[in-house]
Amino acid sequence: MPLDPARSLAAAIEPFTGQVYFSPECHQRYEALGFGPSGAEVGGVQMPEIAAYFTSRGSVMGQVPGAVVAAAFGVFKPAIVVPAVTAGWTRTDAASIEAARTAGAVAQLRRILGDVPEGIDRAVDLLERATADLEPAGKPLFAGLRSQDVPDEPLGATWRLGDMLREYRGDAHVAVWTAEALDACEIGMLTELYWGLPSRSYSRTRGWNDDDYAAATERLEARGLLADGTLTDTGSQTREAIEVATDRACAPIVAALGDDLEELVAILGRWSGAIRDAHGYPAAGPVELAEAARR
């Protein structure tokens, strides 16, 4: 079955924009600001240093406290986020690390795709159209990115506009699952199973421990969403309904692109494939994992 248009666009955008978190060029700039070196390589992809990750991504909202970053990101344990951001602001300020983030992301794209990848001008035009009229209400990371300058040169502009769409969907996703009365540990456990990953694996990177999992499991079982460590039918339906509602929240993007959405997906998908091949992003992202799990 073909992907929903909003989900198809999300899959195409993810490696192109999300490569910022795995970019050696970003990590080097963060180290120059006083952060530690990047984490170990996993599958050929360089993992981010955790304090630099929280501080750099959160910097688009300004020099906000760690509790605000934790609230906006949604899925991380606040006890991990807050001290990391507090430490981050002793090393740098929001403007400096945001500039390092942007420069490093674009530098990796330039290294992999070249200065003027095929379709760049068309991609800028379509992404400008897709983001022009989006409302920021309830979308803190999208709003933060919108407050930043869009780089003048096409590759930087494309990355910034794509990142806006990525965070718009992410903000909407957090709103949907919180409205479903799920908490951060619970949605992590449901999501990794929905993606076909082992329980307590991917979500552990969000800072949760065995006590957190035990309590969340009890709550999920009481709601009939989990049984014997696997999703129940109700759990699967609930998690898919969350993704469908997230797609629906992205309807303004789909409407703005109209018949040109497939063209943008093709351009971004080609670039994202090259980024994966160059180990600038993991082999599979959220949409691919979820689709593979349903086959």
Side-chain angles (χ1 to χ4, degrees):
M1 178 165 38
L3 284 176
D4 176 276
R7 217 175 298 187
S8 176
L9 180 59
I13 271 179
E14 176 61 25
F16 175 71
T17 56
Q19 55 81 26
V20 63
Y21 304 115
F22 310 99
S23 162
E25 290 87 345
C26 283
H27 300 159
Q28 290 159 11
R29 285 167 170 81
Y30 301 154
E31 280 193 71
L33 292 174
F35 291 89
S38 63
E41 273 195 10
V42 176
V45 177
Q46 196 171 48
M47 305 306 288
E49 194 271 337
I50 197 67
Y53 165 75
F54 290 130
T55 309
S56 62
R57 186 180 173 205
S59 70
V60 303
M61 299 184 293
Q63 201 152 323
V64 297
V68 175
V69 175
F73 288 14
V75 295
F76 291 88
K77 187 173 181 175
I80 301 297
V81 181
V82 172
V85 174
T86 300
W89 293 143
T90 69
R91 298 168 187 164
T92 189
D93 57 77
S96 296
I97 196 167
E98 195 287 316
R101 178 180 190 267
T102 298
V106 176
Q108 170 157 262
L109 291 176
R110 183 169 288 113
R111 170 170 53 82
I112 295 171
L113 302 177
D115 290 330
V116 188
E118 183 182 354
I120 186 75
D121 291 336
R122 181 61 169 159
V124 172
D125 289 344
L126 293 175
L127 286 167
E128 285 177 340
R129 188 203 306 174
T131 56
D133 297 323
L134 293 179
E135 295 290 342
K139 299 181 176 63
L141 288 164
F142 167 75
L145 281 167
R146 169 149 278 176
S147 72
Q148 305 295 323
D149 291 335
V150 175
D152 291 332
E153 51 94 17
L155 194 58
T158 307
W159 178 74
R160 169 75 82 226
L161 295 166
D163 201 29
M164 287 168 62
L165 291 186
R166 181 183 188 270
E167 295 292 24
Y168 185 95
R169 183 181 180 92
D171 288 336
H173 188 59
V174 173
V176 170
W177 59 256
T178 52
E180 194 63 35
L182 291 163
D183 67 27
C185 187
E186 292 166 1
I187 192 64
M189 294 187 75
L190 293 180
T191 296
E192 62 195 357
L193 293 172
Y194 173 76
W195 288 348
L197 300 176
S199 182
R200 308 184 183 194
S201 58
Y202 180 83
S203 62
R204 199 173 288 275
T205 67
R206 274 48 188 153
W208 307 107
N209 60 35
D210 288 339
D211 289 341
D212 300 320
Y213 287 131
T217 297
E218 187 174 336
R219 295 190 298 270
L220 291 169
E221 288 178 344
R223 291 181 60 175
L225 304 179
L226 207 63
D228 298 323
T230 62
L231 289 176
T232 63
D233 289 344
T234 300
S236 294
Q237 291 161 9
T238 297
R239 184 57 186 79
E240 174 60 15
I242 288 169
E243 211 63 34
V244 170
T246 304
D247 293 336
R248 190 162 56 246
C250 294
I253 299 169
V254 174
L257 289 168
D259 293 340
D260 295 323
L261 184 144
E262 289 186 8
E263 182 183 3
L264 181 58
V265 167
I267 294 170
L268 293 171
R270 184 169 62 249
W271 296 346
S272 287
I275 291 164
R276 278 201 171 106
D277 289 345
H279 301 292
Y281 187 86
V287 176
E288 292 91 350
L289 288 170
E291 290 305 303
R294 282 200 291 275
R295 292 191 193 116

mmCIF file of all heavy atoms in Angstrom, residues 8-19 109 112-113 117 264-283 288:
data_model
loop_
_atom_site.group_PDB
_atom_site.id
_atom_site.type_symbol
_atom_site.label_atom_id
_atom_site.label_comp_id
_atom_site.label_asym_id
_atom_site.label_seq_id
_atom_site.Cartn_x
_atom_site.Cartn_y
_atom_site.Cartn_z
ATOM 1 N N SER A 8 5.169 10.042 3.231
ATOM 2 C CA SER A 8 6.140 9.887 2.157
ATOM 3 C C SER A 8 7.131 11.049 2.150
ATOM 4 O O SER A 8 8.342 10.863 1.996
ATOM 5 C CB SER A 8 5.394 9.810 0.813
ATOM 6 O OG SER A 8 6.292 9.753 -0.262
ATOM 7 N N LEU A 9 6.621 12.256 2.347
ATOM 8 C CA LEU A 9 7.503 13.421 2.403
ATOM 9 C C LEU A 9 8.407 13.349 3.625
ATOM 10 O O LEU A 9 9.602 13.659 3.544
ATOM 11 C CB LEU A 9 6.662 14.698 2.431
ATOM 12 C CG LEU A 9 7.437 16.020 2.480
ATOM 13 C CD1 LEU A 9 8.363 16.163 1.277
ATOM 14 C CD2 LEU A 9 6.472 17.199 2.574
ATOM 15 N N ALA A 10 7.857 12.919 4.757
ATOM 16 C CA ALA A 10 8.666 12.789 5.974
ATOM 17 C C ALA A 10 9.811 11.812 5.772
ATOM 18 O O ALA A 10 10.940 12.058 6.219
ATOM 19 C CB ALA A 10 7.787 12.345 7.138
ATOM 20 N N ALA A 11 9.546 10.697 5.107
ATOM 21 C CA ALA A 11 10.590 9.702 4.854
ATOM 22 C C ALA A 11 11.682 10.264 3.958
ATOM 23 O O ALA A 11 12.873 10.002 4.167
ATOM 24 C CB ALA A 11 9.978 8.454 4.229
ATOM 25 N N ALA A 12 11.299 11.043 2.945
ATOM 26 C CA ALA A 12 12.282 11.615 2.028
ATOM 27 C C ALA A 12 13.116 12.695 2.689
ATOM 28 O O ALA A 12 14.320 12.834 2.434
ATOM 29 C CB ALA A 12 11.566 12.187 0.800
ATOM 30 N N ILE A 13 12.503 13.471 3.571
ATOM 31 C CA ILE A 13 13.186 14.591 4.223
ATOM 32 C C ILE A 13 14.135 14.130 5.320
ATOM 33 O O ILE A 13 15.173 14.758 5.563
ATOM 34 C CB ILE A 13 12.130 15.557 4.807
ATOM 35 C CG1 ILE A 13 11.753 16.594 3.771
ATOM 36 C CG2 ILE A 13 12.583 16.230 6.076
ATOM 37 C CD1 ILE A 13 10.711 17.577 4.247
ATOM 38 N N GLU A 14 13.803 13.033 6.003
ATOM 39 C CA GLU A 14 14.479 12.663 7.247
ATOM 40 C C GLU A 14 16.011 12.582 7.137
ATOM 41 O O GLU A 14 16.712 13.253 7.899
ATOM 42 C CB GLU A 14 13.897 11.362 7.789
ATOM 43 C CG GLU A 14 14.569 10.810 9.022
ATOM 44 C CD GLU A 14 14.514 11.733 10.221
ATOM 45 O OE1 GLU A 14 13.596 12.573 10.307
ATOM 46 O OE2 GLU A 14 15.416 11.633 11.075
ATOM 47 N N PRO A 15 16.587 11.794 6.238
ATOM 48 C CA PRO A 15 18.058 11.745 6.194
ATOM 49 C C PRO A 15 18.682 13.077 5.760
ATOM 50 O O PRO A 15 19.748 13.451 6.267
ATOM 51 C CB PRO A 15 18.350 10.637 5.177
ATOM 52 C CG PRO A 15 17.104 9.805 5.169
ATOM 53 C CD PRO A 15 15.987 10.792 5.341
ATOM 54 N N PHE A 16 18.029 13.788 4.855
ATOM 55 C CA PHE A 16 18.579 15.051 4.372
ATOM 56 C C PHE A 16 18.689 16.073 5.494
ATOM 57 O O PHE A 16 19.686 16.800 5.605
ATOM 58 C CB PHE A 16 17.710 15.605 3.238
ATOM 59 C CG PHE A 16 18.141 16.958 2.754
ATOM 60 C CD1 PHE A 16 19.311 17.110 2.021
ATOM 61 C CD2 PHE A 16 17.386 18.087 3.034
ATOM 62 C CE1 PHE A 16 19.722 18.361 1.587
ATOM 63 C CE2 PHE A 16 17.782 19.334 2.603
ATOM 64 C CZ PHE A 16 18.949 19.480 1.875
ATOM 65 N N THR A 17 17.680 16.139 6.352
ATOM 66 C CA THR A 17 17.716 17.097 7.453
ATOM 67 C C THR A 17 18.343 16.487 8.703
ATOM 68 O O THR A 17 19.152 17.127 9.384
ATOM 69 C CB THR A 17 16.311 17.604 7.778
ATOM 70 O OG1 THR A 17 15.459 16.496 8.073
ATOM 71 C CG2 THR A 17 15.737 18.376 6.608
ATOM 72 N N GLY A 18 17.978 15.237 9.027
ATOM 73 C CA GLY A 18 18.445 14.600 10.253
ATOM 74 C C GLY A 18 19.923 14.284 10.262
ATOM 75 O O GLY A 18 20.489 13.972 11.323
ATOM 76 N N GLN A 19 20.594 14.390 9.118
ATOM 77 C CA GLN A 19 22.049 14.154 9.079
ATOM 78 C C GLN A 19 22.806 15.123 9.972
ATOM 79 O O GLN A 19 23.954 14.864 10.347
ATOM 80 C CB GLN A 19 22.563 14.218 7.637
ATOM 81 C CG GLN A 19 22.237 15.492 6.865
ATOM 82 C CD GLN A 19 23.149 16.665 7.142
ATOM 83 O OE1 GLN A 19 24.302 16.495 7.528
ATOM 84 N NE2 GLN A 19 22.651 17.877 6.932
ATOM 85 N N LEU A 109 26.483 18.219 3.970
ATOM 86 C CA LEU A 109 25.725 18.115 2.722
ATOM 87 C C LEU A 109 26.602 18.468 1.518
ATOM 88 O O LEU A 109 26.558 17.787 0.485
ATOM 89 C CB LEU A 109 24.504 19.040 2.766
ATOM 90 C CG LEU A 109 23.397 18.650 3.739
ATOM 91 C CD1 LEU A 109 22.308 19.711 3.751
ATOM 92 C CD2 LEU A 109 22.802 17.283 3.384
ATOM 93 N N ILE A 112 28.996 15.623 0.694
ATOM 94 C CA ILE A 112 28.374 14.435 0.117
ATOM 95 C C ILE A 112 27.691 14.724 -1.216
ATOM 96 O O ILE A 112 27.820 13.953 -2.173
ATOM 97 C CB ILE A 112 27.354 13.842 1.112
ATOM 98 C CG1 ILE A 112 28.055 13.326 2.378
ATOM 99 C CG2 ILE A 112 26.548 12.699 0.457
ATOM 100 C CD1 ILE A 112 27.104 12.917 3.484
ATOM 101 N N LEU A 113 26.969 15.837 -1.290
ATOM 102 C CA LEU A 113 26.127 16.113 -2.463
ATOM 103 C C LEU A 113 26.758 17.089 -3.453
ATOM 104 O O LEU A 113 26.304 17.185 -4.593
ATOM 105 C CB LEU A 113 24.779 16.688 -2.015
ATOM 106 C CG LEU A 113 23.941 15.824 -1.066
ATOM 107 C CD1 LEU A 113 22.677 16.580 -0.655
ATOM 108 C CD2 LEU A 113 23.576 14.491 -1.709
ATOM 109 N N PRO A 117 23.628 20.348 -5.881
ATOM 110 C CA PRO A 117 23.060 19.059 -6.276
ATOM 111 C C PRO A 117 21.898 19.243 -7.249
ATOM 112 O O PRO A 117 21.204 20.271 -7.225
ATOM 113 C CB PRO A 117 22.587 18.457 -4.952
ATOM 114 C CG PRO A 117 22.465 19.604 -4.021
ATOM 115 C CD PRO A 117 23.478 20.614 -4.444
ATOM 116 N N LEU A 264 9.025 16.837 -5.169
ATOM 117 C CA LEU A 264 9.882 17.151 -4.043
ATOM 118 C C LEU A 264 10.363 15.877 -3.356
ATOM 119 O O LEU A 264 11.535 15.769 -2.983
ATOM 120 C CB LEU A 264 9.143 18.045 -3.042
ATOM 121 C CG LEU A 264 9.944 18.478 -1.806
ATOM 122 C CD1 LEU A 264 11.204 19.236 -2.201
ATOM 123 C CD2 LEU A 264 9.069 19.331 -0.878
ATOM 124 N N VAL A 265 9.476 14.904 -3.202
ATOM 125 C CA VAL A 265 9.863 13.624 -2.609
ATOM 126 C C VAL A 265 10.967 12.967 -3.429
ATOM 127 O O VAL A 265 11.929 12.419 -2.881
ATOM 128 C CB VAL A 265 8.638 12.692 -2.480
ATOM 129 C CG1 VAL A 265 9.071 11.260 -2.167
ATOM 130 C CG2 VAL A 265 7.699 13.210 -1.398
ATOM 131 N N ALA A 266 10.855 13.043 -4.743
ATOM 132 C CA ALA A 266 11.867 12.429 -5.608
ATOM 133 C C ALA A 266 13.224 13.116 -5.449
ATOM 134 O O ALA A 266 14.269 12.450 -5.357
ATOM 135 C CB ALA A 266 11.410 12.488 -7.065
ATOM 136 N N ILE A 267 13.234 14.438 -5.413
ATOM 137 C CA ILE A 267 14.497 15.174 -5.270
ATOM 138 C C ILE A 267 15.140 14.860 -3.919
ATOM 139 O O ILE A 267 16.319 14.486 -3.839
ATOM 140 C CB ILE A 267 14.267 16.685 -5.411
ATOM 141 C CG1 ILE A 267 13.807 17.043 -6.823
ATOM 142 C CG2 ILE A 267 15.558 17.453 -5.070
ATOM 143 C CD1 ILE A 267 13.319 18.483 -6.965
ATOM 144 N N LEU A 268 14.363 15.011 -2.850
ATOM 145 C CA LEU A 268 14.899 14.780 -1.513
ATOM 146 C C LEU A 268 15.269 13.320 -1.301
ATOM 147 O O LEU A 268 16.266 13.008 -0.646
ATOM 148 C CB LEU A 268 13.881 15.211 -0.463
ATOM 149 C CG LEU A 268 13.593 16.710 -0.387
ATOM 150 C CD1 LEU A 268 12.409 16.982 0.535
ATOM 151 C CD2 LEU A 268 14.819 17.480 0.088
ATOM 152 N N GLY A 269 14.464 12.428 -1.860
ATOM 153 C CA GLY A 269 14.758 11.001 -1.727
ATOM 154 C C GLY A 269 16.079 10.625 -2.372
ATOM 155 O O GLY A 269 16.829 9.805 -1.830
ATOM 156 N N ARG A 270 16.366 11.225 -3.502
ATOM 157 C CA ARG A 270 17.645 10.956 -4.185
ATOM 158 C C ARG A 270 18.810 11.450 -3.324
ATOM 159 O O ARG A 270 19.813 10.747 -3.139
ATOM 160 C CB ARG A 270 17.632 11.645 -5.547
ATOM 161 C CG ARG A 270 18.853 11.376 -6.408
ATOM 162 C CD ARG A 270 18.646 11.873 -7.823
ATOM 163 N NE ARG A 270 18.451 13.311 -7.892
ATOM 164 C CZ ARG A 270 17.305 13.911 -8.217
ATOM 165 N NH1 ARG A 270 16.232 13.186 -8.489
ATOM 166 N NH2 ARG A 270 17.215 15.236 -8.264
ATOM 167 N N TRP A 271 18.686 12.642 -2.786
ATOM 168 C CA TRP A 271 19.738 13.175 -1.921
ATOM 169 C C TRP A 271 19.883 12.339 -0.653
ATOM 170 O O TRP A 271 20.997 12.056 -0.211
ATOM 171 C CB TRP A 271 19.428 14.616 -1.535
ATOM 172 C CG TRP A 271 19.413 15.585 -2.670
ATOM 173 C CD1 TRP A 271 19.889 15.392 -3.938
ATOM 174 C CD2 TRP A 271 18.888 16.902 -2.638
ATOM 175 N NE1 TRP A 271 19.691 16.511 -4.703
ATOM 176 C CE2 TRP A 271 19.077 17.462 -3.935
ATOM 177 C CE3 TRP A 271 18.276 17.679 -1.665
ATOM 178 C CZ2 TRP A 271 18.671 18.767 -4.241
ATOM 179 C CZ3 TRP A 271 17.870 18.972 -1.971
ATOM 180 C CH2 TRP A 271 18.072 19.503 -3.255
ATOM 181 N N SER A 272 18.755 11.970 -0.070
ATOM 182 C CA SER A 272 18.801 11.189 1.172
ATOM 183 C C SER A 272 19.461 9.837 0.958
ATOM 184 O O SER A 272 20.183 9.333 1.828
ATOM 185 C CB SER A 272 17.388 11.019 1.739
ATOM 186 O OG SER A 272 16.925 12.235 2.298
ATOM 187 N N GLY A 273 19.231 9.244 -0.204
ATOM 188 C CA GLY A 273 19.899 7.982 -0.522
ATOM 189 C C GLY A 273 21.408 8.145 -0.572
ATOM 190 O O GLY A 273 22.154 7.301 -0.060
ATOM 191 N N ALA A 274 21.866 9.232 -1.163
ATOM 192 C CA ALA A 274 23.311 9.490 -1.235
ATOM 193 C C ALA A 274 23.889 9.721 0.156
ATOM 194 O O ALA A 274 25.012 9.283 0.463
ATOM 195 C CB ALA A 274 23.568 10.703 -2.127
ATOM 196 N N ILE A 275 23.134 10.386 1.014
ATOM 197 C CA ILE A 275 23.597 10.641 2.384
ATOM 198 C C ILE A 275 23.720 9.333 3.155
ATOM 199 O O ILE A 275 24.702 9.103 3.871
ATOM 200 C CB ILE A 275 22.648 11.631 3.085
ATOM 201 C CG1 ILE A 275 22.788 13.011 2.452
ATOM 202 C CG2 ILE A 275 22.915 11.686 4.590
ATOM 203 C CD1 ILE A 275 21.663 13.960 2.771
ATOM 204 N N ARG A 276 22.757 8.460 3.008
ATOM 205 C CA ARG A 276 22.838 7.147 3.662
ATOM 206 C C ARG A 276 24.040 6.360 3.138
ATOM 207 O O ARG A 276 24.762 5.729 3.908
ATOM 208 C CB ARG A 276 21.553 6.364 3.410
ATOM 209 C CG ARG A 276 20.414 6.716 4.343
ATOM 210 C CD ARG A 276 19.413 5.583 4.376
ATOM 211 N NE ARG A 276 18.422 5.809 5.407
ATOM 212 C CZ ARG A 276 17.165 6.187 5.165
ATOM 213 N NH1 ARG A 276 16.754 6.402 3.940
ATOM 214 N NH2 ARG A 276 16.320 6.357 6.176
ATOM 215 N N ASP A 277 24.224 6.373 1.824
ATOM 216 C CA ASP A 277 25.344 5.633 1.238
ATOM 217 C C ASP A 277 26.685 6.123 1.766
ATOM 218 O O ASP A 277 27.646 5.346 1.858
ATOM 219 C CB ASP A 277 25.318 5.762 -0.289
ATOM 220 C CG ASP A 277 24.161 4.991 -0.936
ATOM 221 O OD1 ASP A 277 23.552 4.142 -0.251
ATOM 222 O OD2 ASP A 277 23.855 5.268 -2.111
ATOM 223 N N ALA A 278 26.761 7.403 2.104
ATOM 224 C CA ALA A 278 28.002 7.994 2.608
ATOM 225 C C ALA A 278 28.105 7.903 4.135
ATOM 226 O O ALA A 278 29.002 8.498 4.725
ATOM 227 C CB ALA A 278 28.084 9.452 2.179
ATOM 228 N N HIS A 279 27.178 7.163 4.775
ATOM 229 C CA HIS A 279 27.155 7.002 6.236
ATOM 230 C C HIS A 279 26.977 8.334 6.964
ATOM 231 O O HIS A 279 27.518 8.552 8.042
ATOM 232 C CB HIS A 279 28.420 6.296 6.733
ATOM 233 C CG HIS A 279 28.613 4.934 6.125
ATOM 234 N ND1 HIS A 279 27.784 3.869 6.410
ATOM 235 C CD2 HIS A 279 29.522 4.485 5.225
ATOM 236 C CE1 HIS A 279 28.181 2.808 5.733
ATOM 237 N NE2 HIS A 279 29.227 3.152 4.989
ATOM 238 N N GLY A 280 26.159 9.196 6.342
ATOM 239 C CA GLY A 280 25.812 10.451 6.992
ATOM 240 C C GLY A 280 24.543 10.355 7.804
ATOM 241 O O GLY A 280 24.185 11.299 8.521
ATOM 242 N N TYR A 281 23.867 9.221 7.693
ATOM 243 C CA TYR A 281 22.605 8.983 8.415
ATOM 244 C C TYR A 281 22.429 7.473 8.515
ATOM 245 O O TYR A 281 22.875 6.745 7.614
ATOM 246 C CB TYR A 281 21.424 9.615 7.669
ATOM 247 C CG TYR A 281 20.122 9.549 8.438
ATOM 248 C CD1 TYR A 281 19.792 10.534 9.356
ATOM 249 C CD2 TYR A 281 19.233 8.491 8.252
ATOM 250 C CE1 TYR A 281 18.609 10.471 10.089
ATOM 251 C CE2 TYR A 281 18.059 8.416 8.980
ATOM 252 C CZ TYR A 281 17.742 9.406 9.893
ATOM 253 O OH TYR A 281 16.581 9.331 10.613
ATOM 254 N N PRO A 282 21.778 6.975 9.585
ATOM 255 C CA PRO A 282 21.598 5.523 9.718
ATOM 256 C C PRO A 282 20.880 4.892 8.536
ATOM 257 O O PRO A 282 20.170 5.563 7.768
ATOM 258 C CB PRO A 282 20.770 5.396 11.007
ATOM 259 C CG PRO A 282 21.139 6.611 11.801
ATOM 260 C CD PRO A 282 21.323 7.704 10.788
ATOM 261 N N ALA A 283 21.022 3.586 8.411
ATOM 262 C CA ALA A 283 20.505 2.861 7.246
ATOM 263 C C ALA A 283 19.000 2.925 7.111
ATOM 264 O O ALA A 283 18.465 2.865 6.002
ATOM 265 C CB ALA A 283 20.954 1.400 7.310
ATOM 266 N N GLU A 288 10.709 4.000 7.397
ATOM 267 C CA GLU A 288 11.120 2.720 6.820
ATOM 268 C C GLU A 288 10.982 1.585 7.825
ATOM 269 O O GLU A 288 10.534 0.481 7.482
ATOM 270 C CB GLU A 288 12.565 2.785 6.331
ATOM 271 C CG GLU A 288 12.791 3.692 5.142
ATOM 272 C CD GLU A 288 13.156 5.106 5.527
ATOM 273 O OE1 GLU A 288 13.056 5.448 6.719
ATOM 274 O OE2 GLU A 288 13.525 5.876 4.632
#
